[in-house]
Amino acid sequence: MELSRRTVIAGAGAAAAGAAATTALGGTAHASPGRGKPARTLFGRLADGTKVHSWSLANGGTRLKVLSYGGIVQSLEVPDRRGRHANVSLGFGTLEEYVASSPYFGALIGRYGNRIGAGRFTLDGTVHQLSVNDGANSLHGGERGFDKRVWDVEPFAEGSDVGLRLSYVSADGEMGYPGTLRTRVTYTLTRHGDWRVDYAATTDRATVVNLTSHVYWNLAGESGGSVADHELSIAATRYTPVDSGLIPTGELARVGGTPFDFRGAKPVGRDLRAAHPQILYGQGFDHNWVLDKGVTARPQHAATLRDPASGRTLRIATTEPGLQFYSGNFLDGTLVGTGGRVYRQGDGLCLETQHFPDSPNRPSFPSTVLRPGGTYRSTTVHSFDA
Ligand code: BGC
């Protein structure tokens, strides 16, 4: 297997790797991309020889690196209140690490974000058995979801926007899902430095779809350690409690008076150790919040995450009705990140816009069914300031 430049860097000692990787990401080794068409470099090769590229784009102060493998956001740099950039998205320096064992760092998730109970659902009277990869359940599309596929990537620069159009055709029956799913995800950096994600999909047979992005945020920088001091607010009065396998019970419970109340900004760590049965199930927060705005035609405010130390603030607006807040509970100190430092529990958190987990088995939840002739659409906008 050909070694990418970053593979060689990661092969050096941890300290050297940290310094070298920071240089590479900070744009000293590669000239930092200005606004203009995104640029492509070889990131590595899969075992079968398939090339994986890294695309660099920048606009409005935000710098993004995206891999054709999994549509992975490998690096996302934004300035702090003094104008200093840091990569705020957890990830790896090499393709080999992404392939070997990644907890979905930065990846596109499909066909179905989060869990489907027993990896099974019935649609129009037919039972579909999915690939099961999380105990008895199917998580994030099954054993080989969209995060492990090589996407076609087309760069664009239109008006004041720059971006990438990623497409992937998922064959009928892939991971047990019915229908050929033609998927297109557009990553746009706006002149304000917003990162916008537009998802679209069509099918030739009735199916279910729920696409999302699995960036782990650490607004202090990906090597910044615990995000317990980050302040989070979520515009949701209810959430979906789960059973011990993290499958929703079907109830929409009120957040008031519980650790799940993020209606006002609250440090992520404040209630993370609350002896609440739901916290024990997820070993922290790993739940779907029911956004008060519901499904909307245009992206509307869902959540704000802020690191008081750096001032970096992320605002998320979405068309989706739900938000999975996962507090990085299963990071266990066994992975070395982009900057050469070990990731431990709670060193990053995910805010995944989505339809609710297990919706195909819950007729009372907003529907995730897509039929031939229809188009699945979903948009999430990430805005940054400091
Ligand atoms: C899920 C977690 C899961 C994680 C995988 C999250 O979206 O909610 O339960 O462990 O993804 O890294």
Side-chain angles (χ1 to χ4, degrees):
M1 188 181 290
E2 183 184 297
L3 295 181
S4 70
R5 207 175 62 83
R6 287 199 180 74
T7 309
V8 176
I9 287 169
T22 305
T23 305
L25 295 168
T28 310
H30 287 304
S32 159
R35 188 154 73 79
K37 251 200 173 174
R40 189 181 92 160
T41 56
L42 183 66
F43 189 69
R45 283 177 203 261
L46 298 174
D48 68 1
T50 306
K51 287 181 181 172
V52 170
H53 291 105
S54 166
W55 289 86
S56 298
L57 47 159
N59 204 1
T62 301
R63 305 171 186 156
L64 188 60
K65 287 193 183 191
V66 175
L67 306 183
S68 51
Y69 180 77
I72 288 170
V73 170
Q74 194 248 343
S75 168
L76 194 159
E77 296 182 28
V78 290
D80 68 6
R81 62 163 74 84
R82 292 165 59 185
R84 291 175 305 196
H85 279 78
N87 171 16
V88 295
S89 166
L90 273 56
F92 294 123
T94 68
L95 180 61
E96 289 74 11
E97 290 162 287
Y98 281 108
V99 172
S101 86
S102 173
Y104 305 93
F105 281 152
L108 284 175
I109 304 294
R111 294 189 188 185
Y112 199 96
N114 213 277
R115 292 174 178 79
I116 295 183
R120 195 183 302 132
F121 66 96
T122 303
L123 182 57
D124 300 337
T126 304
V127 178
H128 297 280
Q129 179 60 53
L130 306 172
S131 153
V132 158
N133 60 337
D134 184 62
N137 304 319
S138 187
L139 173 67
H140 294 332
E143 205 141 14
R144 214 176 143 218
F146 288 6
D147 58 293
K148 297 177 185 67
R149 306 284 172 174
V150 176
W151 293 64
D152 277 336
V153 183
E154 283 295 326
F156 67 88
E158 281 168 11
S160 58
D161 293 340
V162 296
L164 303 171
R165 291 194 185 90
L166 299 101
S167 47
Y168 174 67
V169 179
S170 174
D172 184 17
E174 191 177 286
M175 296 293 108
Y177 287 91
T180 310
L181 194 78
R182 296 180 180 277
T183 313
R184 175 183 270 197
V185 180
T186 307
Y187 287 165
T188 305
L189 285 187
T190 71
R191 68 193 166 96
H192 304 296
D194 294 353
W195 174 46
R196 176 183 173 112
V197 187
D198 292 285
Y199 306 85
T202 56
T203 184
D204 57 3
R205 270 175 78 192
T207 191
V208 295
V209 196
N210 186 31
L211 306 179
T212 191
S213 157
H214 210 285
V215 170
Y216 286 69
W217 302 101
N218 186 328
L219 298 179
E222 57 77 37
S223 301
S226 171
V227 293
D229 291 341
H230 281 36
E231 292 166 1
L232 176 66
S233 65
I234 306 176
T237 306
R238 293 173 299 172
Y239 75 108
T240 50
V242 291
D243 65 17
S244 59
L246 301 181
I247 300 297
T249 60
E251 188 196 351
L252 304 184
R254 296 196 167 268
V255 298
T258 78
F260 296 84
D261 192 349
F262 281 90
R263 288 173 295 179
K266 174 171 90 169
V268 165
R270 181 177 295 170
D271 292 332
L272 198 51
R273 288 174 175 76
H276 187 288
Q278 287 293 317
I279 299 271
L280 287 166
Y281 284 153
Q283 295 181 31
F285 296 106
D286 192 355
H287 295 78
N288 169 68
W289 270 252
V290 178
L291 297 172
D292 289 338
K293 69 176 194 67
V295 179
T296 43
R298 295 187 172 278
Q300 287 187 18
H301 178 72
T304 302
L305 182 68
R306 179 170 176 272
D307 169 35
S310 66
R312 291 193 190 92
T313 303
L314 161 68
R315 287 188 186 80
I316 294 183
T318 185
T319 55
E320 288 297 304
L323 181 79
Q324 187 82 14
F325 163 34
Y326 166 59
S327 52
N329 316 322
F330 304 118
L331 296 175
D332 60 1
T334 57
L335 301 174
V336 178
T338 336
R341 304 266 299 170
V342 169
Y343 293 141
R344 295 169 59 87
Q345 190 179 39
D347 281 1
L349 63 83
C350 300
L351 297 169
E352 302 153 69
T353 54
Q354 60 181 9
H355 271 55
F356 308 167
D358 203 32
S359 296
N361 293 309
R362 289 280 165 196
S364 62
F365 288 176
S367 174
T368 53
V369 174
L370 177 68
R371 296 186 181 279
T375 302
Y376 166 92
R377 285 189 200 282
S378 169
T379 296
T380 296
V381 182
H382 309 81
S383 309
F384 304 94
D385 65 59

